[in-house]
Amino acid sequence: RRDASRLMVVHRDSGAVEHRRFTDLAHLLEPRDLLVVNRSRVVRARLLGRRFGSGARAEIFLLSPLGGDRYEALVSPGGKLKPGRAVEIAPGFTADVLSVTERRTRVVQLRAEGASVEQAIEAHGHIPLPPYITRMDEAADVERYQTVYAREVGSVAAPTAGLHFTPELLAAIAELGVNRAEVVLHVGAGTFKPVEV
């Protein structure tokens, strides 16, 4: 269950640390507190396919749309996916590598026959799981790695702090008189990088 996760409570006045469960959040908030939630939804940003010509495996990890069905993306293997190369993700769904950016990412042009590119991504893309989960994504992950209030598609990783809320817990918090504000803050691939400073 989402709300069965552990919750560390740090009391600001004393510095004391308490170990609780996420469901206890309803007992920790007070009327007139403000709960801010991020309603960004995770896109199926991992596109797995084969390179044209060699048939070798390739991955395109969509970072952000650039317009006109072009996206900034991470690619693997980076040394092989240079401008001019193409990847078949599924029959009728391809990605052409157009250029390399200053950040060493790629600009790719997605093409889908018989559907929009967004529909093709939804049909053939994979949910990006955190790096510590070493298995491939499964059907249940499509909703499990979304918050229950996710609406606007755009994140390439889940806004993980919100994964523990359930509709029941949100209702209990609202009954306390806690206000709720919603923001849209798309989570980028930087969330997967180790902290360096």
Side-chain angles (χ1 to χ4, degrees):
R1 281 192 51 90
R2 290 175 182 265
D3 58 4
S5 300
R6 292 177 292 175
L7 177 69
M8 183 173 72
V9 179
V10 179
H11 297 272
R12 285 189 289 180
D13 54 349
S14 66
V17 175
E18 192 179 352
H19 297 282
R20 308 275 295 262
R21 291 283 171 196
F22 201 81
T23 52
D24 296 333
L25 190 60
H27 306 293
L28 298 169
L29 296 175
E30 298 178 3
R32 297 190 333 209
D33 280 346
L34 178 64
L35 177 66
V36 180
V37 300
N38 181 3
R39 56 172 206 254
S40 180
R41 188 168 178 81
V42 181
V43 66
R44 295 178 185 232
R46 288 187 72 207
L47 303 178
L48 306 176
R50 301 250 176 217
R51 286 183 281 154
F52 278 106
S54 71
R57 291 182 184 173
E59 178 176 342
I60 295 174
F61 189 101
L62 303 176
L63 297 176
S64 59
L66 301 174
D69 295 334
R70 290 180 305 119
Y71 287 78
E72 181 180 5
L74 296 171
V75 300
S76 177
K80 300 288 185 182
L81 293 176
K82 297 176 179 175
R85 300 284 173 94
V87 174
E88 181 182 43
I89 298 147
F93 184 32
T94 60
D96 298 319
V97 179
L98 301 180
S99 62
V100 179
T101 70
E102 291 178 5
R103 300 187 319 154
R104 308 299 302 155
T105 59
R106 305 296 191 272
V107 174
V108 298
Q109 176 77 50
L110 299 181
R111 302 180 195 286
E113 296 173 11
S116 70
V117 163
E118 291 79 15
Q119 290 169 327
I121 292 169
E122 186 65 24
H124 303 291
H126 296 265
I127 289 291
L129 298 179
Y132 54 83
I133 296 178
T134 55
R135 63 172 172 77
M136 283 295 295
D137 63 322
E138 300 168 353
D141 294 326
V142 174
E143 289 307 317
R144 181 64 184 98
Y145 281 92
Q146 306 284 359
T147 60
V148 296
Y149 41 77
R151 299 292 178 270
E152 282 85 355
V153 172
S155 285
V156 297
T160 52
L163 289 177
H164 308 294
F165 285 101
T166 63
E168 297 80 15
L169 179 57
L170 289 169
I173 289 170
E175 282 182 25
L176 293 171
V178 172
N179 294 310
R180 185 164 118 189
E182 296 184 351
V183 299
V184 177
L185 177 62
H186 296 313
V187 180
T191 193
F192 296 130
K193 289 186 174 180
V195 176
E196 296 176 350
V197 294

